[in-house]
Amino acid sequence: MFENDDTIPEIPKVLFVDDTEDNLDLLEFALKKKPITMFRASSGKECLIVAEEQHPDMIVLDIQMPEMDGFETLRRLRANPETAKIPVIFLTAIKRDPQSIAEGILLGAEEYLTKPIDLEELFARVRSIFRVMGMQRELEQVKSQFMAMLVHDLRTPLTIIISSIDYILRHYGVEKPLDLDSVKLMQTVLASTRGMSYLVNDLLDLSKYQAGQIQLNKQTITIHELIEESLQPFLLQFKQKNITLTTDVNVDLPRLDADSGKIVQLMTNLLANSVKFTPDDGTVGIKVEQETSADQKQLFIKVTVSDTGVGVKPEEIPLLFEQYRQVSSAKKTKEKGTGLGLAICKLIVQAHGGTISVVSELNVGTSFTFTLPAVKEN
């Protein structure tokens, strides 16, 4: 089916999930002479494990399975960042019905096929999805290259403008001092230009992460030193807004194998978010503790940044880590952001093999928690 199709540059890796081993055996036999790499799983739980380990290009998923059916399996696939974007073709022995199709589509299934499998139709669907995936990858690459070029072209003049205005404000006026209105105007221009510079840097970081071009410069580091470094730029803002800072950081925690610059950027974004949305006389807290994975094999450092700020509506919490999205509570502050800070936080944590989550209550406060794998001590 794929032999003469020059538009398919690679052999697709497909995970087939069916609780009947005979069905998987028949599929494996039929696919032996086809340019397709087959993985197999006989349950929803096994599908989750294989999908995370093998990273297939797509999954052909049976719906009617004991213990965990196809719908629940797909829900869990979509909830895991490692498997969330893998295309899924639903497979069922029951005739198509609108309710099942609707449920599958809402969960994010790309296709819907019935048993017995028509191999020619299956191959056609796989080829179609694989071609679309290739086009999406090319589009992302072009987008990344364009963003990098755009950011580079914007960064240089912005840097010149910022340094020039800053120099004038600090040094101009020995013989001819600026009047008060001119100083205020220059300060406004400087603030706006810095805002553009932050946006450019955020766009560059985002495009690099999305294109997989971020290279982590990992070193063995201690988390409490990075937190102290991250806090320094905010101490004056805490004082100006009379915000109480509380810290609960154990200096004897295991060390991290991480990129210190990226972790400082992560903490800086979270702290900036807390300061921005916490009113005067509020509280910002940092807590760092040790956590062990469910199988007791991996230690994690867990960091929580909490505040007594304006909080977020329950229905808007899932939007917090999306790009360019700002929740309605952001309108209550005078400071405006790029809508990229938290999306970048998520990408930094995921690049280090960790997780990030948020808990928030409107008019009460917000807590961001992220985990990072700790170094195994001998």
Side-chain angles (χ1 to χ4, degrees), residues 17-286:
V17 187
D18 196 312
D19 63 305
T20 304
E21 292 286 353
D22 288 344
N23 291 341
L24 293 174
D25 291 338
L26 288 171
L27 266 173
E28 191 166 7
F29 178 79
L31 295 173
K32 277 186 176 180
K33 295 184 179 181
K34 299 295 182 181
I36 183 171
T37 300
M38 174 180 173
F39 298 103
R40 53 191 287 169
S42 56
S43 68
K45 291 182 179 179
E46 187 179 2
C47 168
L48 300 178
I49 295 171
V50 176
E52 188 165 2
E53 291 178 349
Q54 301 297 336
H55 302 286
D57 294 307
M58 66 196 75
I59 299 172
V60 179
L61 179 60
D62 190 19
I63 293 180
Q64 285 80 33
M65 295 187 296
E67 295 184 19
M68 185 189 299
D69 65 12
F71 293 127
E72 179 59 25
T73 303
L74 182 54
R75 287 190 189 94
R76 299 195 186 190
L77 286 169
R78 293 293 180 255
N80 183 349
E82 294 290 324
T83 60
K85 295 183 179 180
I86 300 176
V88 170
I89 299 175
F90 262 147
L91 192 63
T92 178
I94 302 174
K95 286 187 176 182
R96 301 185 188 190
D97 66 274
Q99 185 175 351
S100 294
I101 294 174
E103 184 174 359
I105 291 174
L106 286 173
L107 289 172
E110 274 69 26
E111 297 282 358
Y112 214 105
L113 296 176
T114 56
K115 295 180 181 179
I117 298 176
D118 183 325
L119 290 179
E120 293 303 314
E121 182 180 7
L122 173 63
F123 292 153
R125 300 295 178 90
V126 170
R127 181 177 61 179
S128 175
I129 292 174
F130 197 60
R131 181 184 290 111
V132 171
M133 291 172 61
M135 293 171 63
Q136 289 175 338
R137 284 194 294 267
E138 290 179 7
L139 182 61
E140 284 299 321
Q141 186 176 6
V142 172
K143 174 185 172 185
S144 175
Q145 292 171 348
F146 171 75
M147 289 298 297
M149 179 181 65
L150 175 64
V151 167
H152 180 270
D153 290 344
L154 285 172
R155 176 181 276 177
T156 300
L158 283 173
T159 301
I160 294 173
I161 293 170
I162 290 173
S163 60
S164 299
I165 296 174
D166 187 57
Y167 179 84
I168 291 172
L169 287 173
R170 286 186 292 110
H171 299 286
Y172 185 90
V174 176
E175 297 179 358
K176 185 180 178 182
L178 292 173
D179 58 62
L180 182 59
D181 289 339
S182 297
V183 171
K184 288 182 178 180
L185 179 60
M186 295 294 280
Q187 288 174 336
T188 301
V189 173
L190 180 60
S192 298
T193 309
R194 278 181 174 155
M196 290 176 62
S197 179
Y198 295 150
L199 175 58
V200 166
N201 290 330
D202 283 350
L203 286 170
L204 180 60
D205 284 342
L206 188 65
S207 64
K208 285 183 177 180
Y209 276 113
Q210 290 178 330
Q213 296 175 350
I214 286 287
Q215 294 184 349
L216 299 179
N217 182 24
K218 288 188 175 182
Q219 299 175 345
T220 301
I221 53 180
T222 55
I223 188 65
H224 70 274
E225 292 177 343
L226 298 185
I227 289 176
E228 289 179 4
E229 180 180 347
S230 303
L231 278 171
Q232 290 305 312
F234 296 97
L235 296 180
L236 179 59
Q237 289 178 266
F238 289 143
K239 185 175 181 180
Q240 290 173 335
K241 297 184 69 173
N242 197 31
I243 291 176
T244 300
L245 172 66
T246 66
T247 58
D248 182 3
V249 184
N250 186 343
V251 297
D252 296 324
L253 290 171
R255 292 177 295 175
L256 299 171
D257 183 25
D259 185 322
S260 59
K262 298 303 178 188
I263 303 305
V264 169
Q265 182 183 8
L266 164 65
M267 283 296 303
T268 298
N269 284 352
L270 293 179
L271 287 168
N273 199 70
S274 292
V275 172
K276 183 190 302 183
F277 293 108
T278 300
D280 293 358
D281 304 317
T283 300
V284 171
I286 300 174

